[in-house]
Amino acid sequence: MKKIVAVGEIVVEIMATEPGDGFREPLSLIGPYPSGAPAIFIDQVARLGQPCGLISCVGPDDFGHLNMERLRADGADVSAVTVAPEGVTGSAFVRYRSDGERDFVFNIKHSACGRITRSTEGDRLLDSADHLHVMGSSLFSESIVALIRHAMDRVKARGGTVSFDPNVRKEMLTLSGMRAALETILGESDVFLPSGPELFLLSTATEEEDAIAEILDLGVTAVVLKRGADGASYYDGESTVHHPAFAVTEVDPTGAGDCFGATFVTAWLRGLAPARALRLAAAAGALAVTRKGPMEGTSTEHDIETFAARRHVAVT
Ligand code: ADP
């Protein structure tokens, strides 16, 4: 079975229990929940029974322990997650507004995640990998961008493949060198997994089909567009497949895209037909939104298969 590796942030998420604007008053909070987009992605891959591992860094604290134990228990290789003696594990405080938007307070760049560097353990993990997954949220410093570029080169040199979920906000493009880094990563990706407007992040096109054609022209094999409660679409230049979302009650959307992406990439690496891969990924995304806590939304292969077999899709 092919091994999937990701590089990036491990954090805990702490949520306000009541919706409202920001954190400028004392609030009831719930958490810590294990989180970090690459960590959720790898946890979902592990729960599908696919070999996988993460290159990351945590502090010598309970938040780091919580994440490491969860990933390890679910079957991920955490040998390349280093514990920085002077570091503190990253955190994200989140509060939902009544309109469904979210306010965040992040401590990522200045946490242990900011110390993720090239290591012997990391290179060993990369040398055992068949596939690298890259997340835009991880590109928060020049040193981690350089590490991710190194990881891509190392995995590709051995004939491996790369998937890329841009999950960045447009403001991040103003960071020095960010656009160039994203363009290089996209140009070397096999599977691109944007969410909604992220399709146009690096494109001057205004129509979906023009942006997709531009991306496929770069040499990307498959574009998988996540459309939230409107489902998802797959494009490879020859075939197009749409899959509506499954009808569920949304409790917490954080992590849906990571569970979806992990399931799609695993299915793609297993050689499943695009329509089947998209259906399983949509099932994983739907299951994810029904649970509170980003990594709590990951599911076992059995649960995803059962859900996909029994459930009807929502009419959108
Ligand atoms: P991201 O978290 O990256 O923004 P999405 O919100 O588009 O990604 O979610 C990824 C996938 O999860 C969607 O394409 C869809 O299949 C599924 N999904 C997301 N939200 C819902 C929902 N409310 N109901 C059912 N399925 C959902």
Side-chain angles (χ1 to χ4, degrees):
M1 277 210 278
K2 292 189 169 171
K3 185 163 183 174
I4 303 175
V5 168
V7 182
E9 69 279 14
I10 281 181
V11 303
V12 289
E13 187 171 301
I14 297 164
M15 292 179 217
T17 53
E18 298 295 329
D21 287 345
F23 291 91
R24 297 185 181 191
E25 59 194 340
L27 294 171
S28 294
L29 301 167
I30 181 166
Y33 290 106
S35 191
I40 300 165
F41 181 98
I42 286 299
D43 190 69
Q44 178 59 84
V45 172
R47 298 199 75 196
L48 289 165
Q50 194 77 10
C52 60
L54 182 65
I55 299 174
S56 190
C57 185
V58 295
D61 49 44
D62 284 353
F63 291 170
H65 184 80
L66 172 73
N67 267 294
M68 294 268 274
E69 286 311 307
R70 171 66 68 83
L71 288 165
R72 192 181 282 128
D74 286 341
D77 181 341
V78 291
S79 61
V81 179
T82 52
V83 180
E86 306 295 323
V88 174
T89 304
S91 57
F93 288 77
V94 59
R95 188 177 191 191
Y96 284 86
R97 292 196 216 140
S98 35
D99 62 5
E101 291 297 308
R102 287 169 283 180
D103 287 321
F104 287 98
V105 176
F106 290 116
N107 173 26
I108 296 180
K109 191 173 173 180
H110 301 290
S111 73
C113 306
R115 301 175 188 227
I116 305 172
T117 49
R118 190 172 163 183
S119 65
T120 313
E121 296 80 7
D123 279 353
R124 198 178 300 131
L125 187 61
L126 291 170
D127 288 342
S128 70
D130 301 287
H131 184 89
L132 180 78
H133 182 69
V134 179
M135 293 250 164
S137 61
S138 308
L139 305 170
F140 51 77
S141 70
E142 277 179 25
S143 63
I144 193 155
V145 170
L147 175 62
I148 286 173
R149 296 278 303 276
H150 159 75
M152 289 180 76
D153 290 347
R154 198 143 177 146
V155 171
K156 290 202 86 156
R158 296 176 54 252
T161 45
V162 171
S163 50
F164 176 38
D165 181 337
N167 69 340
V168 291
R169 298 181 302 278
K170 265 227 151 85
E171 312 86 80
M172 276 177 82
L173 285 181
T174 57
L175 295 179
S176 145
M178 180 59 80
R179 173 174 283 275
L182 290 171
E183 280 171 352
T184 308
I185 293 167
L186 177 60
E188 291 182 17
S189 295
D190 298 278
V191 181
F192 181 51
L193 297 137
S195 180
E198 288 167 4
L199 177 67
F200 299 99
L201 201 64
L202 299 168
S203 166
T204 50
T206 50
E207 300 296 325
E208 260 186 21
E209 62 179 31
D210 297 333
I212 290 159
E214 255 180 37
I215 294 161
L216 292 171
D217 278 350
L218 295 174
V220 173
T221 307
V223 176
V224 184
L225 182 58
K226 295 171 280 174
R227 302 176 188 273
D230 293 326
S233 309
Y234 166 95
Y235 309 87
D236 64 13
E238 282 175 10
S239 60
T240 298
V241 184
H242 300 289
H243 199 292
F246 288 91
V248 290
T249 303
E250 183 178 298
V251 173
D252 178 6
T254 312
D258 308 323
C259 294
F260 174 99
T263 306
F264 182 85
V265 168
T266 301
W268 183 78
L269 287 169
R270 289 178 181 178
L272 269 57
R276 177 78 184 142
L278 208 55
R279 185 171 179 85
L280 293 174
L287 282 165
V289 304
T290 63
R291 298 184 209 120
K292 186 174 268 195
M295 204 183 280
E296 315 312 303
T298 63
S299 304
T300 62
E301 180 165 33
H302 176 263
D303 287 351
I304 292 170
E305 295 267 4
T306 308
F307 183 91
R310 291 204 192 134
R311 283 298 187 106
H312 295 294
V313 293
V315 180
T316 51

